[in-house]
Amino acid sequence: MQNAGGQDAQGPQGASRRHLLRGAGVVGALGAVGLGGYALREAVAPPVDPETEISLYSQTVAYDADGSRRLVTTAQEAARVEAGGGRGRGGDSGSAAPFPGTRLQHTVAESSGPARRAQEFWAATVPWRSRLEAALPDAPLLADLAASALADLWVLSDDLPAPVAGWSTSWRYIWPRDAAFCAVALARIGHQEQALSVLEHLQSLQADDGWFEARYDPGTGRAPDDRSRQFDGTGLLLWAASEIAGQEEPDSRTETLDRLAALISTSQQALLSATDDGTSMPPVSPDYWEVSEHRVTLGIMAATLAGLRGAAALTADDRATAAARRFEDLLLGTFGANGFQRYRRRGGADSALAFLDATGCHGVASPSQVRQLRQALARPAGGIAPGAAWREDGVSWTPSTSLLALALARAGDTDTAGDLLGWLAEHRTEAGSLPEKVLFDGRPAAVAPLAWTAANVLLTLDALGEGTSSAG
């Protein structure tokens, strides 16, 4: 989770109060612990504050009159973005009706590039939104949440090779893990071609050995720093390819497999080699917590299984199919035998367990084990922390909370998934964007919007609309 990684402690100070939520004014900037927090806690075990204050870096992202994106940092600015043309212009028929959440300043001409692209994006989602509304006719809050998530994902992917995590400086990069979920979400809501383009871009960045950097600059395609490479992107992007191809007709599927041939082949070989055809642990690597590790984590195990299963689905290769079965047995006999903790025998509960059902790896963990994450990782405001070993600061993380919602929805627990979505809907910024964090008293904090959370929300809504326990 880039969101658990290097925090933008110098980010803009923005208003962090929502109506009906406790707290007022501008939150004091004490900085987010994130990446260094876990390592620091391990090293010196400092005292922690269960009522940590973290600034809300932005309310949302908007386009200026010159067509450039900028952060909206105050509630007053957010209100101005809402006025006139809503959070944007464009509608299903090109009328003056607002595109809810497009984050376009009302001063942007309707014929401008961003406005035109917003209209096209919104129009392509009409069939998906219609299906969702038909499946959930009595859930206006979820419909409003869908509009927010669509807008958040759009503004962080518009005219870019792949979605960036956020628009604050330290988040304006492409994380392969986040991009995998974003690509699947884009395909689900009606943007199949854009989804494929995202995977093609990551395909062009993949190293010969199948690994990916932790993140990439969207302009240069290079890593912006010396962070360690991460192995989870390999498996998750292969899973994403299988999800996207799995919903296509035979002719389109063949074309997709051709376009993603290098990604599929390189990733499959990397997973098979790294695990000795499913019989060995994958390499030690940072995962979504983005801290240095000395042992394999549950997050890397889950991503590897998702990738092996994805390879089997994409290629119908006997070797990949057998490797996926063997690796599932390995996961159950190691992490599963010890309650699916962060590490094989210790570390406590970890929201990475949700990666399994979220990526269609059903039946590995029991439904009750996944549901128990909500209680085991509960934070005061109602969301969850990334893990039991995370810093005790009272902060809920929306990527982990939305990932849990997705896992539960895809596993068939629609009631709990819907409840978690309701919580996410009630903890958006005043501009309607989904934030990265929620403080102990319910105030949104840190960066907003966040692409991974938006993608998870859309995929969860999709699963609820489908009314099935599987996807892809």
Side-chain angles (χ1 to χ4, degrees):
M1 173 190 317
Q2 77 286 339
N3 327 312
Q7 302 300 318
D8 189 7
Q10 303 303 316
Q13 307 302 305
S16 60
R17 179 178 59 82
R18 286 198 70 203
H19 295 302
L20 305 181
L21 293 178
R22 183 175 155 198
V26 177
V27 180
L30 299 183
V33 177
L35 171 64
Y38 180 71
L40 183 63
R41 182 184 180 198
E42 288 279 288
V44 300
V48 294
D49 182 0
E51 298 187 355
T52 295
E53 295 281 353
I54 301 170
S55 295
L56 180 63
Y57 303 159
S58 57
Q59 291 278 346
T60 191
V61 177
Y63 274 96
D64 276 329
D66 63 359
S68 61
R69 267 168 286 219
R70 69 174 178 85
L71 294 172
V72 175
T73 59
T74 69
Q76 290 76 18
E77 286 181 288
R80 287 196 295 271
V81 172
E82 294 278 354
R87 278 166 285 186
R89 289 189 180 274
D92 299 340
S93 60
S95 68
F99 167 7
T102 50
R103 316 305 191 232
L104 291 176
Q105 277 287 55
H106 66 274
T107 54
V108 175
E110 291 187 25
S111 61
S112 69
R116 174 181 48 77
R117 292 193 300 270
Q119 291 174 338
E120 293 170 352
F121 183 93
W122 190 245
T125 69
V126 169
W128 181 82
R129 286 185 286 125
S130 297
R131 290 195 301 272
L132 185 67
E133 290 168 5
L136 304 170
D138 300 319
L141 182 63
L142 295 187
D144 188 62
L145 177 64
S148 285
L150 285 166
D152 287 351
L153 183 57
W154 174 77
V155 81
L156 295 176
S157 60
D158 177 45
D159 208 29
L160 294 169
V164 292
W167 205 249
S168 295
T169 303
S170 295
W171 283 261
R172 206 175 297 176
Y173 300 109
I174 298 165
W175 271 260
R177 171 184 51 255
D178 300 36
F181 284 88
C182 290
V184 176
L186 286 166
R188 288 281 175 177
I189 64 176
H191 288 276
Q192 187 84 1
E193 179 58 34
Q194 186 179 357
L196 287 173
S197 294
V198 170
L199 295 189
E200 285 181 312
H201 181 67
L202 271 298
Q203 176 176 252
S204 72
L205 302 177
Q206 188 173 28
D208 291 341
D209 61 2
W211 284 64
F212 288 93
E213 299 292 341
R215 56 185 188 166
Y216 295 91
D217 185 293
T220 68
R222 295 192 292 269
D225 51 32
D226 59 356
R227 291 189 184 197
S228 299
R229 298 195 303 170
Q230 296 186 197
F231 195 63
D232 54 354
T234 304
L236 290 174
L237 285 165
L238 192 51
W239 157 73
S242 70
E243 282 256 352
I244 292 169
Q247 69 181 55
E248 295 180 321
E249 297 298 327
D251 289 346
S252 297
R253 177 183 168 87
T254 298
E255 180 184 352
T256 293
L257 295 180
D258 288 341
R259 290 173 62 175
L260 300 179
L263 175 69
I264 294 168
S265 175
T266 303
S267 299
Q268 175 176 313
Q269 185 56 45
L271 294 174
L272 292 172
S273 298
T275 64
D276 296 322
D277 281 16
T279 62
S280 301
M281 294 279 192
V284 174
S285 160
D287 64 3
Y288 73 117
W289 283 32
E290 297 203 350
V291 300
S292 297
E293 299 289 356
H294 300 290
R295 56 187 64 82
V296 178
T297 66
L298 178 60
I300 296 299
M301 294 291 287
T304 299
L305 178 59
L308 287 170
R309 284 195 175 189
L314 284 165
T315 65
D317 180 79
D318 291 341
R319 181 185 176 191
T321 300
R325 286 198 300 265
R326 285 192 290 264
F327 192 78
E328 180 178 335
D329 290 340
L330 177 66
L331 175 59
L332 286 168
T334 54
F335 285 75
N338 294 284
F340 289 107
Q341 299 185 71
R342 176 162 179 77
Y343 305 109
R344 178 174 178 174
R345 295 187 180 88
R346 68 176 186 85
D350 194 292
S351 65
L353 183 62
F355 274 104
L356 293 171
D357 282 302
T359 59
C361 296
H362 303 302
V364 180
S366 70
S368 63
Q369 286 176 309
V370 180
R371 282 195 299 271
Q372 286 168 5
L373 286 176
R374 190 177 187 187
Q375 181 176 357
L377 304 179
R379 286 296 166 93
I384 67 171
W390 197 261
R391 186 174 187 266
E392 292 293 338
D393 55 6
V395 177
S396 301
W397 287 74
T398 67
S400 291
T401 305
S402 59
L403 184 70
L404 176 58
L406 174 57
L408 292 170
R410 288 189 158 197
D413 188 349
T414 57
D415 288 343
T416 309
D419 186 50
L420 288 169
L421 286 184
W423 181 86
L424 288 161
E426 289 297 329
H427 291 83
R428 289 171 287 176
T429 69
E430 288 186 294
S433 280
L434 288 153
E436 178 188 50
K437 304 175 188 176
V438 175
L439 301 184
F440 63 96
D441 59 0
R443 286 171 291 156
V447 62
L450 196 74
W452 190 14
T453 297
N456 289 343
V457 164
L458 292 171
L459 289 171
T460 305
L461 288 166
D462 183 75
L464 294 180
E466 290 281 335
T468 63
S469 60
S470 60

